[in-house]
Amino acid sequence: MSSYIPVIGLEIHSELLTKSKVFCTCSAEFGGDKNSRCCPVCSGMPGTLPIINQTAVEYAVKAGYALGCSINKFSVFDRKNYFYPDLPKAYQISQLNLPLCINGLVPIEYEEDGVKKSKNIRINRIHLEEDAGKLIHDDLNGVSLADYNRCGIPLIEIVTEPDIGSAEEARCFVEKIALLLQYVGVSDCKMEQGSIRCDVNISLMKPTDTEFGTRAEIKNLNSLKSIYRTIEFEIKRQSRLLDRGERVVQETRRYDDNKGETRTMRSKEDAHDYKYFPDPDILQVNFTDEDLARIKGSLPEMPYQRLERYISAGIQEKDAKIIVNSKRLSDLFDDTLKVYNNPKSVANFVIGELMRRINLGEIDLEKLNFTAEEFAKVIEMADTEKVSKGDAKEIFREMSEKGGSPEEIAKARGMLIVTDTGKVLEAIDEVIAANEKAVNQYVSGDVKVFGFLMGQCSKALRGSATPKVIKEELEKKLKSLVG
Ligand code: ADP
Ligand code: MG
Ligand code: ZN
C-alpha cells in the first residue's frame, strides 16, 4: 500500500443540559415513557409557534468560548428541509450561514509511536439546532414506531476544519471536546446515552497533492472506539481503492460495530438538497456587548487553569494532568482540599490508590460511596499517623465498597494507633532483653542493627504505637546503654 495523508474533519453533536427543549417548554430530560414529553410545538402541529430557549442560546455561546471561538453578535436560525419519519415538521431548525460561534481553536496532546505530540485543531463553527425523534423498529410485528420525546432537544453541532490527521488525533480531540463541555457545564457528554455523537469526514491525499481528495462521511458514531475503528478502516479502504487506480465515491456511510467496517448508506447530499431558508417564526439573535461579557464572565475555571493551580501547589505536572483530565476527579480533588488542605499528599493518594482502583474497575467516579470529607479524613489519618499507611488503604477499600466513616471503620477494625508510652517502653525492654547480641553490637558502634531492633519492637507493638514514637524511644534507650 502506498502511504497517503489522511484528512479528517469532524462534526460533533452534543446535547445541551437545559431543563426544557429548545423551542417549547417540554422537559428535555433523558428517557420518559414514549411520547410523554412532547407538545404541539415539538411534534410539529401546523400553526404552532416555536419560542427560543434563552438558556440553550447561552449554553451554545459558553461552549463557543470554551473552544476559543468568536461569537457572532447577529445570528439566524434556518429550516433544513428533509423528509424522514423521525422529523414530524419535515424540517429541522438549525443554522446555516450565521451560526452562533465561528473560528475556534482547540489544542490537543497525544502520543504517536511513543512520542508526545501536540497540535491545534481549528473549529469552523458551532451552531444550535434541535434533535429529531427516535424510530423503534419492531421486527416482530413488522412495523416502525416513532417516539418524539427527543424532538426539540437542544443540540450544538461543532464542525472542525479538516485538520485531524489520524484515528488517535480524532480520539484525543473528541475526548478534549467532551472534557471542555463538561467543565463549562453545558453538556454531560455521556456517549452511551447518545448525548454526544460524531460524524467523521475523511479523505486521503498524496504528499505531492495540492488539493484534498474526495471524502466519505461516516454518520452517527457514538463511542470513542467506534470513531477510532471507523477511521482506521476507512484509511485502509480508501488506500486500496486509490492504489488500484479507482476513485473514492463521495457518499454517506454507516459503521457496523460488529464487523468493524463501514458500508454505503446513501449518496452524499449537498446543502442545496435541503432547500435551507431562514425560519420566519424564530427571532434572530442580537447580542449586546454586555450580554456577551456577562456570558463570558460566567465561565468557570477551565482545565488549563486548574492545571496551573495544581502545579503551583507543588503537584507534579504528569499527576496534575491526570487529575484535570477528568472533571469528576478534579472536582473530588478540590472538594477534598477544602477539608484537608494538603495538595501533595491528597494528590499522592489520588494517583496512587484511587486511580489504581479506578483502573482496576473497582471504583466508578460516577457512583462514589464516600464523600470528599470522608476521603479527606482517611488521608489525614494516615498522614497524622492515626492509622498506618497500609491500614488507610484498607479503610479506604471498605469506604469505597460499603460506605461508612473512616474513623468508625478504623475503630471497629482495631486499626487506630493509640500510643501508650508505657507499653512502648515495656516492649522495648523485652526486645532488648531477648536480643542481647544485637544490643551489644549496637553498643560497640555497629549501628546498622538499629533497623533490626526497630523491626522487633514494631512487631511486638503492632498497631499500638506510631513508628515515630517507637523510633524515638528505642533510640533514647539504646543511647543510654552506650552511656
Ligand atoms: P457538509 O455541509 O457537506 O457536511 P462541510 O463543508 O460543512 O460539508 O464540512 C463538513 C466536514 O467535512 C467538516 O468537518 C470539514 O472539515 C470536513 N471536510 C471537508 N472537506 C473534506 C475533505 N476533502 N476531506 C476530509 N474532510 C473534509
Ligand atoms: Mg455534514
Ligand atoms: Zn414540546
Side-chain angles (χ1 to χ4, degrees), residues 312-349:
S312 56
I315 297 167
Q316 282 187 19
E317 184 171 337
K318 72 170 188 355
D319 293 346
K321 273 187 184 157
I322 294 174
I323 298 172
V324 161
N325 277 340
S326 156
K327 166 102 172 17
R328 277 189 192 271
L329 187 62
S330 180
D331 286 347
L332 173 68
F333 182 71
D334 281 347
D335 290 343
T336 305
L337 291 188
K338 276 179 208 145
V339 190
Y340 176 51
N341 189 17
N342 189 336
K344 278 196 205 171
S345 170
V346 174
N348 280 340
F349 201 90

Short mmCIF file of all heavy atoms in Angstrom, two decimals, residues 312-349:
data_model
loop_
_atom_site.label_atom_id
_atom_site.label_comp_id
_atom_site.label_asym_id
_atom_site.label_seq_id
_atom_site.Cartn_x
_atom_site.Cartn_y
_atom_site.Cartn_z
N SER A 312 1.30 24.88 40.63
CA SER A 312 1.90 25.84 41.56
C SER A 312 1.67 25.43 43.02
O SER A 312 2.33 25.95 43.92
CB SER A 312 1.45 27.27 41.28
OG SER A 312 0.06 27.34 41.32
N ALA A 313 0.79 24.46 43.25
CA ALA A 313 0.64 23.93 44.62
C ALA A 313 1.65 22.81 44.87
O ALA A 313 1.60 22.15 45.90
CB ALA A 313 -0.77 23.42 44.84
N GLY A 314 2.54 22.58 43.89
CA GLY A 314 3.61 21.61 44.11
C GLY A 314 3.33 20.21 43.60
O GLY A 314 4.08 19.28 43.86
N ILE A 315 2.23 20.06 42.85
CA ILE A 315 1.91 18.73 42.31
C ILE A 315 2.67 18.54 41.00
O ILE A 315 2.76 19.46 40.19
CB ILE A 315 0.39 18.60 42.08
CG1 ILE A 315 -0.31 18.73 43.43
CG2 ILE A 315 0.03 17.29 41.42
CD1 ILE A 315 -1.78 18.94 43.32
N GLN A 316 3.21 17.34 40.81
CA GLN A 316 3.95 17.07 39.57
C GLN A 316 3.03 17.21 38.37
O GLN A 316 1.88 16.80 38.40
CB GLN A 316 4.48 15.64 39.60
CG GLN A 316 5.71 15.49 40.46
CD GLN A 316 6.29 14.09 40.32
OE1 GLN A 316 6.00 13.40 39.35
NE2 GLN A 316 7.08 13.72 41.28
N GLU A 317 3.60 17.74 37.27
CA GLU A 317 2.78 18.04 36.09
C GLU A 317 2.04 16.80 35.59
O GLU A 317 0.85 16.87 35.26
CB GLU A 317 3.66 18.62 34.99
CG GLU A 317 2.84 19.03 33.79
CD GLU A 317 3.62 19.80 32.75
OE1 GLU A 317 4.66 20.39 33.10
OE2 GLU A 317 3.18 19.81 31.58
N LYS A 318 2.71 15.66 35.55
CA LYS A 318 2.03 14.49 34.98
C LYS A 318 0.86 14.04 35.86
O LYS A 318 -0.18 13.62 35.36
CB LYS A 318 3.01 13.35 34.68
CG LYS A 318 3.55 12.62 35.89
CD LYS A 318 4.29 11.37 35.40
CE LYS A 318 4.74 10.40 36.46
NZ LYS A 318 4.60 10.68 37.87
N ASP A 319 1.00 14.19 37.17
CA ASP A 319 -0.10 13.86 38.07
C ASP A 319 -1.23 14.88 37.94
O ASP A 319 -2.41 14.53 37.89
CB ASP A 319 0.38 13.82 39.53
CG ASP A 319 1.36 12.67 39.77
OD1 ASP A 319 1.45 11.77 38.90
OD2 ASP A 319 2.03 12.67 40.82
N ALA A 320 -0.84 16.15 37.88
CA ALA A 320 -1.84 17.22 37.75
C ALA A 320 -2.67 17.02 36.48
O ALA A 320 -3.89 17.22 36.48
CB ALA A 320 -1.15 18.58 37.73
N LYS A 321 -2.01 16.59 35.41
CA LYS A 321 -2.73 16.36 34.15
C LYS A 321 -3.74 15.24 34.29
O LYS A 321 -4.87 15.34 33.79
CB LYS A 321 -1.74 16.01 33.03
CG LYS A 321 -1.21 17.24 32.35
CD LYS A 321 -0.37 16.90 31.15
CE LYS A 321 0.21 18.18 30.57
NZ LYS A 321 1.41 17.93 29.78
N ILE A 322 -3.34 14.18 34.97
CA ILE A 322 -4.27 13.05 35.15
C ILE A 322 -5.51 13.53 35.91
O ILE A 322 -6.64 13.21 35.54
CB ILE A 322 -3.58 11.89 35.92
CG1 ILE A 322 -2.46 11.30 35.07
CG2 ILE A 322 -4.60 10.81 36.30
CD1 ILE A 322 -1.62 10.25 35.77
N ILE A 323 -5.29 14.34 36.94
CA ILE A 323 -6.43 14.80 37.75
C ILE A 323 -7.35 15.72 36.93
O ILE A 323 -8.56 15.55 36.89
CB ILE A 323 -5.94 15.52 39.03
CG1 ILE A 323 -5.15 14.53 39.90
CG2 ILE A 323 -7.12 16.10 39.81
CD1 ILE A 323 -4.45 15.17 41.09
N VAL A 324 -6.73 16.67 36.23
CA VAL A 324 -7.50 17.66 35.48
C VAL A 324 -8.28 17.02 34.33
O VAL A 324 -9.35 17.49 33.95
CB VAL A 324 -6.52 18.73 34.95
CG1 VAL A 324 -7.11 19.49 33.81
CG2 VAL A 324 -6.14 19.67 36.08
N ASN A 325 -7.75 15.92 33.78
CA ASN A 325 -8.39 15.31 32.62
C ASN A 325 -9.67 14.57 32.91
O ASN A 325 -10.27 14.00 32.01
CB ASN A 325 -7.42 14.39 31.88
CG ASN A 325 -6.53 15.18 30.95
OD1 ASN A 325 -6.87 16.31 30.59
ND2 ASN A 325 -5.39 14.62 30.58
N SER A 326 -10.10 14.58 34.15
CA SER A 326 -11.44 14.10 34.47
C SER A 326 -12.08 15.15 35.36
O SER A 326 -11.56 15.46 36.42
CB SER A 326 -11.37 12.75 35.18
OG SER A 326 -12.54 12.57 35.95
N LYS A 327 -13.18 15.71 34.89
CA LYS A 327 -13.84 16.76 35.68
C LYS A 327 -14.25 16.22 37.05
O LYS A 327 -14.07 16.87 38.07
CB LYS A 327 -15.05 17.28 34.91
CG LYS A 327 -16.01 18.12 35.72
CD LYS A 327 -15.81 19.58 35.41
CE LYS A 327 -16.80 20.56 35.97
NZ LYS A 327 -17.67 20.23 37.04
N ARG A 328 -14.78 15.01 37.08
CA ARG A 328 -15.22 14.44 38.35
C ARG A 328 -14.07 14.25 39.32
O ARG A 328 -14.18 14.53 40.50
CB ARG A 328 -15.91 13.09 38.12
CG ARG A 328 -17.33 13.28 37.73
CD ARG A 328 -18.08 11.98 37.72
NE ARG A 328 -19.34 12.19 37.06
CZ ARG A 328 -20.44 12.57 37.69
NH1 ARG A 328 -20.42 12.73 39.00
NH2 ARG A 328 -21.55 12.78 37.03
N LEU A 329 -12.96 13.74 38.78
CA LEU A 329 -11.80 13.50 39.63
C LEU A 329 -11.28 14.83 40.17
O LEU A 329 -10.96 14.98 41.35
CB LEU A 329 -10.71 12.79 38.80
CG LEU A 329 -9.49 12.31 39.57
CD1 LEU A 329 -9.91 11.27 40.61
CD2 LEU A 329 -8.47 11.69 38.62
N SER A 330 -11.21 15.82 39.28
CA SER A 330 -10.70 17.12 39.66
C SER A 330 -11.62 17.79 40.69
O SER A 330 -11.15 18.41 41.64
CB SER A 330 -10.57 17.97 38.38
OG SER A 330 -10.10 19.22 38.68
N ASP A 331 -12.93 17.64 40.51
CA ASP A 331 -13.88 18.19 41.49
C ASP A 331 -13.70 17.51 42.85
O ASP A 331 -13.69 18.17 43.89
CB ASP A 331 -15.33 18.00 41.02
CG ASP A 331 -15.70 18.96 39.90
OD1 ASP A 331 -14.93 19.93 39.67
OD2 ASP A 331 -16.75 18.75 39.26
N LEU A 332 -13.53 16.19 42.83
CA LEU A 332 -13.33 15.46 44.09
C LEU A 332 -12.05 15.94 44.76
O LEU A 332 -12.00 16.17 45.97
CB LEU A 332 -13.24 13.95 43.82
CG LEU A 332 -12.87 13.09 45.03
CD1 LEU A 332 -13.98 13.09 46.08
CD2 LEU A 332 -12.55 11.64 44.62
N PHE A 333 -11.01 16.12 43.96
CA PHE A 333 -9.73 16.58 44.47
C PHE A 333 -9.89 17.95 45.15
O PHE A 333 -9.46 18.15 46.29
CB PHE A 333 -8.74 16.65 43.31
CG PHE A 333 -7.36 17.07 43.69
CD1 PHE A 333 -6.54 16.22 44.41
CD2 PHE A 333 -6.88 18.33 43.34
CE1 PHE A 333 -5.25 16.60 44.77
CE2 PHE A 333 -5.60 18.72 43.70
CZ PHE A 333 -4.78 17.86 44.42
N ASP A 334 -10.55 18.88 44.45
CA ASP A 334 -10.74 20.23 45.02
C ASP A 334 -11.60 20.19 46.28
O ASP A 334 -11.31 20.88 47.26
CB ASP A 334 -11.37 21.16 43.98
CG ASP A 334 -10.33 21.67 42.98
OD1 ASP A 334 -9.12 21.50 43.24
OD2 ASP A 334 -10.73 22.22 41.94
N ASP A 335 -12.67 19.39 46.26
CA ASP A 335 -13.53 19.30 47.45
C ASP A 335 -12.76 18.70 48.63
O ASP A 335 -12.99 19.07 49.77
CB ASP A 335 -14.76 18.43 47.14
CG ASP A 335 -15.71 19.14 46.18
OD1 ASP A 335 -15.59 20.37 46.03
OD2 ASP A 335 -16.57 18.46 45.58
N THR A 336 -11.86 17.77 48.32
CA THR A 336 -11.06 17.15 49.39
C THR A 336 -10.11 18.18 50.00
O THR A 336 -9.96 18.27 51.23
CB THR A 336 -10.25 15.96 48.82
OG1 THR A 336 -11.17 15.06 48.19
CG2 THR A 336 -9.50 15.22 49.90
N LEU A 337 -9.52 19.02 49.14
CA LEU A 337 -8.59 20.05 49.64
C LEU A 337 -9.30 21.07 50.53
O LEU A 337 -8.69 21.65 51.42
CB LEU A 337 -7.92 20.78 48.48
CG LEU A 337 -6.92 19.97 47.65
CD1 LEU A 337 -6.20 20.87 46.67
CD2 LEU A 337 -5.91 19.23 48.52
N LYS A 338 -10.62 21.28 50.25
CA LYS A 338 -11.35 22.23 51.08
C LYS A 338 -11.39 21.76 52.53
O LYS A 338 -11.48 22.55 53.45
CB LYS A 338 -12.79 22.39 50.56
CG LYS A 338 -12.86 23.39 49.42
CD LYS A 338 -14.29 23.53 48.90
CE LYS A 338 -14.27 23.94 47.43
NZ LYS A 338 -15.36 23.33 46.67
N VAL A 339 -11.37 20.45 52.74
CA VAL A 339 -11.44 19.89 54.09
C VAL A 339 -10.05 19.63 54.65
O VAL A 339 -9.79 19.80 55.82
CB VAL A 339 -12.25 18.56 54.07
CG1 VAL A 339 -12.53 18.11 55.49
CG2 VAL A 339 -13.53 18.72 53.28
N TYR A 340 -9.16 19.17 53.81
CA TYR A 340 -7.81 18.83 54.26
C TYR A 340 -6.83 19.40 53.24
O TYR A 340 -6.56 18.80 52.21
CB TYR A 340 -7.67 17.31 54.39
CG TYR A 340 -6.27 16.86 54.77
CD1 TYR A 340 -5.62 17.42 55.87
CD2 TYR A 340 -5.62 15.87 54.04
CE1 TYR A 340 -4.34 17.01 56.21
CE2 TYR A 340 -4.34 15.45 54.38
CZ TYR A 340 -3.71 16.03 55.46
OH TYR A 340 -2.45 15.63 55.81
N ASN A 341 -6.30 20.56 53.55
CA ASN A 341 -5.53 21.29 52.54
C ASN A 341 -4.07 20.85 52.49
O ASN A 341 -3.18 21.55 52.94
CB ASN A 341 -5.65 22.79 52.80
CG ASN A 341 -5.05 23.60 51.65
OD1 ASN A 341 -4.85 23.06 50.57
ND2 ASN A 341 -4.76 24.86 51.89
N ASN A 342 -3.86 19.66 51.94
CA ASN A 342 -2.51 19.15 51.77
C ASN A 342 -2.40 18.57 50.35
O ASN A 342 -2.50 17.37 50.14
CB ASN A 342 -2.26 18.06 52.83
CG ASN A 342 -0.80 17.65 52.86
OD1 ASN A 342 -0.08 17.81 51.87
ND2 ASN A 342 -0.36 17.10 53.97
N PRO A 343 -2.24 19.50 49.36
CA PRO A 343 -2.35 19.09 47.95
C PRO A 343 -1.44 17.92 47.56
O PRO A 343 -1.89 17.01 46.87
CB PRO A 343 -1.95 20.34 47.18
CG PRO A 343 -2.10 21.46 48.13
CD PRO A 343 -1.93 20.92 49.50
N LYS A 344 -0.21 17.94 48.03
CA LYS A 344 0.71 16.89 47.61
C LYS A 344 0.28 15.52 48.12
O LYS A 344 0.28 14.54 47.39
CB LYS A 344 2.12 17.19 48.12
CG LYS A 344 2.86 18.17 47.25
CD LYS A 344 4.33 18.11 47.59
CE LYS A 344 4.99 19.43 47.23
NZ LYS A 344 6.36 19.50 47.73
N SER A 345 -0.09 15.50 49.40
CA SER A 345 -0.49 14.23 49.99
C SER A 345 -1.78 13.71 49.35
O SER A 345 -1.89 12.52 49.03
CB SER A 345 -0.64 14.42 51.49
OG SER A 345 -1.22 13.30 52.05
N VAL A 346 -2.75 14.62 49.15
CA VAL A 346 -4.01 14.19 48.53
C VAL A 346 -3.74 13.70 47.10
O VAL A 346 -4.25 12.67 46.68
CB VAL A 346 -5.06 15.32 48.56
CG1 VAL A 346 -6.31 14.91 47.79
CG2 VAL A 346 -5.43 15.68 49.99
N ALA A 347 -2.88 14.44 46.37
CA ALA A 347 -2.56 14.02 45.00
C ALA A 347 -1.91 12.63 45.00
O ALA A 347 -2.24 11.79 44.17
CB ALA A 347 -1.64 15.04 44.34
N ASN A 348 -1.02 12.38 45.96
CA ASN A 348 -0.39 11.06 46.03
C ASN A 348 -1.41 9.96 46.22
O ASN A 348 -1.35 8.92 45.59
CB ASN A 348 0.61 10.99 47.19
CG ASN A 348 1.91 11.65 46.83
OD1 ASN A 348 2.21 11.81 45.64
ND2 ASN A 348 2.68 12.04 47.82
N PHE A 349 -2.36 10.22 47.11
CA PHE A 349 -3.37 9.19 47.38
C PHE A 349 -4.28 9.00 46.17
O PHE A 349 -4.64 7.88 45.80
CB PHE A 349 -4.18 9.56 48.62
CG PHE A 349 -4.87 8.37 49.25
CD1 PHE A 349 -4.23 7.63 50.22
CD2 PHE A 349 -6.15 8.00 48.85
CE1 PHE A 349 -4.85 6.52 50.80
CE2 PHE A 349 -6.78 6.89 49.42
CZ PHE A 349 -6.13 6.16 50.40
#
